[in-house]
Amino acid sequence: MRQLSPYRRGFLASGLGIALFSSAVFGTSGSFAKALLEAGWSPGAAVTARLTGAALILAVPAVPALRGRWHQLRANWITIVLFGLIGVAACQLFYFNAVARLSVGVALLLEYLAPVIIVLWLWAASRRGPRALTLGGTLLSLAGLVLVLDLTGTVKVDLIGVLWGMAAAVCLAMYFFITAKENDSLPPIVLASGGLLVGAAAMWLAGATGLLPMAFSTADTRLGPWVTPWWVPVGGLIVLGTVLAYVSGIRAARALGSKVASFVSLTEVLFAVVWAWLLLGELPGAIQLLGGVLIIGGVILVRLDELRAPAVAAGTIPGTTPARRPAAAKVASPLGHANDVEPVP
């Protein structure tokens, strides 16, 4: 067997290599889900299968991570429930509904407008305009959204699918507000497993009461040139798109810090487009791809401003004096704290 060079082994074991791997496996979820949807599964059934399988698998490392401190669950039950209902169940259900009507790349680009929604909400709530870099990133992303929707193109984008994608973005923004609060008492793997379990329970309850259509199918699915049994995309959705993605994402965040890891996570959109092209034969149009570049560029500017804000508050940027620190601290990003767990797209 060919041995990897020490350089390649070092890169793959580094935080950056792990973060890229996490983005790559996260990016498979849309393609696996769409294969199931095209085989007769409902979005609710696909989400339920994903959450249930991942919750059971992640419970294995989550239980020892608690080390018998079950009171941590009682102390943080509100965070876990909100994370499970909004950041996991609702976010994924809305995203899968968008995938059912749009290409995987367009659906994910719409969801990634969450940082822009956060900026607009904070602007409206505080009545204090964002800094120039954040405002520029917001306008750039909104311009990208117009191109992604391709309103003047010959192929019209499904309006219902767009609304589902925007709903997923709103849930993702709410997720960031939920998890932005400092919380060192709950291990990230416990929050991930608990949230998945709450989300799965909510999906099963919604299905049992008839509120959510649940259509499962054992028909074969198509992934690229291959015809596969139904359990292949289900297994990929659970193991690759959720479990490995979560575990590697948590490890990357610890190695790089959540700020840098969040930047690298933007490559998930690129991976999702590539996977959709390879497995589904989907590829957004040139105008939509340009819009995607603008959206990602805008999000990068917003996050660069978030990175800059703590430095301004500390007086470490040239021209910032200790006397100006209190004012600078007031405009520091309210979401500057590292999120314990990245959301599952």
Side-chain angles (χ1 to χ4, degrees), residues 26-226:
F26 259 132
T28 63
S29 63
S31 296
F32 286 133
K34 188 142 193 176
L36 292 172
L37 299 179
E38 292 178 345
W41 288 58
S42 66
V47 171
T48 303
R50 182 188 193 186
L51 299 188
T52 303
L56 293 176
I57 295 175
L58 284 179
V60 176
V63 171
L66 278 173
R67 298 175 183 175
R69 294 171 294 185
W70 297 100
H71 64 277
Q72 292 179 340
L73 295 179
R74 295 192 298 271
N76 295 279
W77 71 270
I78 295 179
T79 298
I80 294 174
V81 170
L82 290 177
F83 170 70
L85 294 180
I86 299 174
V88 174
C91 192
Q92 290 185 44
L93 180 62
F94 296 161
Y95 171 61
F96 281 9
N97 273 298
V99 165
R101 294 174 172 268
L102 304 170
S103 69
V104 172
V106 170
L108 193 57
L109 285 169
L110 292 173
E111 186 179 10
Y112 263 78
L113 285 170
V116 176
I117 294 175
I118 291 174
V119 170
L120 295 176
W121 170 257
L122 292 176
W123 188 355
S126 65
R127 297 182 180 179
R128 184 171 55 208
R131 294 181 296 271
L133 201 59
T134 293
L135 181 60
T138 301
L139 295 176
L140 193 64
S141 291
L142 292 176
L145 174 61
V146 173
L147 295 182
V148 165
L149 298 181
D150 196 11
L151 300 177
T152 61
T154 55
V155 179
K156 298 301 181 182
V157 176
D158 189 290
L159 177 59
I160 302 300
V162 171
L163 293 177
W164 282 122
M166 295 302 297
V170 171
C171 287
L172 187 52
M174 294 174 66
Y175 156 84
F176 282 121
F177 281 115
I178 293 169
T179 59
K181 185 179 179 180
E182 184 82 34
N183 186 351
D184 297 324
S185 64
L186 195 65
I189 193 68
V190 176
L191 177 59
S193 178
L196 289 167
L197 185 60
V198 169
M203 296 299 293
W204 281 113
L205 180 62
T209 56
L211 295 177
L212 185 67
M214 287 285 188
F216 298 88
S217 174
T218 58
D220 289 341
T221 60
R222 179 172 291 277
L223 292 171
W226 304 284

Side-chain angles (χ1 to χ4, degrees), residues 10 48 165 286 288 304:
T48 303
Q288 292 178 316
L304 278 174

